Amino acid sequence: MKTDIEIAQEAKMINIGKVAAKLDISEEDLEFYGKYKAKLSDELEEKVKNNKDGKLILVTAINPTPAGEGKTTTTVGLGQALGLLNKKSVIALREPSLGPCFGIKGGAAGGGYAQVVPMEELNLHFTGDFHAITSANNLLAAMLDNHIHQGNKLNIDPNQIVWKRCVDINDRVLRNIVVGLGRKADGITREDHFIITVASEIMAILCLAEDMSDLKKRLSNIIVAYTYEGKPVTAGDIKAVGSMAALLKDAIKPNIIQTLENTPALVHGGPFANIAHGCNSVRATKMALKLADYVVTEAGFGADLGAEKFFDIKCRMAGLKPDAVVLVATVRALKYNGGVAKAELSKPDLEALKKGIVNLEKHIENIQKYNVPVVVTLNRFVTDSEEELSFVKDFCINKGCDFALSNVWEKGGEGGIELANKVLETLENKESNFKPLYSLDLSIKEKIETIAKEIYGASGVTYDVSALKSIERLEELGYGSVPVCMAKNQYSLSDDPTKLGRPTDFTVNIREVYVSAGAGFVVAITGTIMTMPGLPLHPAAENIDVNDEGVITGLF
């Protein structure tokens, strides 16, 4: 079998203008970035605003394992399959971060014969959106430090600066640093921090902003520090909003590319789901709904993270109503959750599958709490036995879900026909009565505890003293009535990544709480989750290269 990058490099891409034409987009509404990438113009948004919305299909998954689940691959393959069934469909994805690409996870363009292309460009610089976000973030940091150096008229307490610099690379030594060393002219010496770009509040803002006016309003509300009296200082107070918006002028426009089968794909924004809210931009999703009859989108990592935030943050804020959810799993991953070592997953093991399927069970129950129809799909492997496949199918049907097998990695859209037909059948026969999990009227602690108990299955929540003080302060400042964005490891329903399956009788510890006032949510950090990841022992970057002809190898 060829590698993902080999398959992608052999793709027969067509001019992006022809891809866009499938959605009735004319070339005058495209801003071209070469032959195979473009941004959608602001004028297009105005032209399609009165179109009827298509159906919104969310693809999510069980907790990720080393065995792999294939959520993005399924998203792309489902979109391709709908195209083969002559449905006007579009895929809405996030842009990949350079951090995982050069770290351990690899790229985020799908896999096998269900990929979006150009794969190398998407996984590297793409249209420069992430660089614009990084620049805007760090401009704000520079203007904040300069304000203090130039006399500090706002009376900012240097020990209460909360705005962090960012870079889109996994670089653990930047987590905690000291800046301003040297002469007096080099600034005030203080402790500072870096986060990865995809965890930046500006990334979240870009993905939640409806338009430039909304973007600037959100940017203005960013809290960067507190005064000696404890009053918040915003980006608006620093007078940084206009310059940041100028840097983000093009980045706010959705990007359009294509799949291996030339299905249109809007790829825009990329907040991490274990740290941030894990969904592509509201603007791209709403545009997609106006352009197609079926929109297939995804939310990052497992349903306990990406789907919960998609529902409780993105859909709530944007007024979106998902029509169906596709929940992705593999027999291999379920057996891994049942205690089987990765090297033994190819062997049939019904008992391990029965133990591990509780992870899938919990995710099904969680999605059903939102009153949205669920279709479970298994990415099929040749090592899966018929007995194992039948067991999972019967289990899902007994849980009130529809079920379909998927083979899009090997066969592309053709391998997703069964899934596509099942999704269409579900949309036809089952109504979505979507509602968020919790009311915004609850206190911050009540929201945190609702998510921890209802979604993770925790028995309770504990708080570090500093987290409790932060919650009290935020509620006093008027930030008690916004959604909560939980930052949690992706590997377990709990805050302990080693607890697989469906853990019970555990508590979730909240160690830090802060507000992303521009994005419009409070962030609660659990366990040992880091907002700046590190590289593994053997990072993927060691295997990436480019030859004399400019052909890149090693991306996956």
Side-chain angles (χ1 to χ4, degrees), residues 202-262:
I202 294 182
M203 174 66 80
I205 287 171
L206 184 93
C207 289
L208 292 170
E210 298 276 355
D211 50 31
M212 178 56 74
S213 176
D214 188 29
L215 177 75
K216 291 173 73 174
K217 180 181 177 182
R218 289 173 179 273
L219 291 174
S220 182
N221 290 336
I222 293 172
I223 294 176
V224 295
Y226 293 88
T227 66
Y228 285 104
E229 296 78 27
K231 296 179 179 178
V233 178
T234 66
D237 295 328
I238 299 294
K239 300 179 181 177
V241 175
S243 54
M244 285 194 293
L247 287 170
L248 299 170
K249 177 179 72 72
D250 293 322
I252 194 176
K253 299 173 184 177
N255 308 294
I256 182 169
I257 53 175
Q258 63 192 288
T259 72
L260 293 174
E261 298 177 12
N262 314 123

Side-chain angles (χ1 to χ4, degrees), residues 16 30-40 93-96 98 117-133 168 203 206 247-257 265-270:
I16 196 62
L30 298 175
E31 298 174 8
F32 290 91
Y33 283 64
K35 289 191 271 186
Y36 306 117
K37 300 178 292 183
K39 280 189 170 289
L40 303 179
L93 300 173
R94 293 173 297 162
E95 300 174 48
L98 291 175
V117 285
M119 182 259 216
E120 306 100 312
E121 294 176 37
L122 173 62
N123 278 304
L124 298 178
H125 301 292
F126 199 33
T127 58
D129 294 344
F130 284 19
H131 299 310
I133 291 166
D168 196 34
M203 174 66 80
L206 184 93
L247 287 170
L248 299 170
K249 177 179 72 72
D250 293 322
I252 194 176
K253 299 173 184 177
N255 308 294
I256 182 169
I257 53 175
L266 303 191
V267 184
H268 192 221

Side-chain angles (χ1 to χ4, degrees), residues 460-471:
V461 178
T462 60
Y463 300 85
D464 287 0
V465 173
S466 60
L468 288 172
K469 289 181 178 178
S470 295
I471 290 172

Side-chain angles (χ1 to χ4, degrees), residues 355-375:
K355 290 179 182 177
I357 205 166
V358 293
N359 186 265
L360 174 62
E361 177 184 45
K362 178 57 176 165
H363 288 298
I364 291 172
E365 292 173 4
N366 286 348
I367 295 167
Q368 290 173 336
K369 292 177 192 289
Y370 294 92
N371 293 330
V372 182
V374 185
V375 179

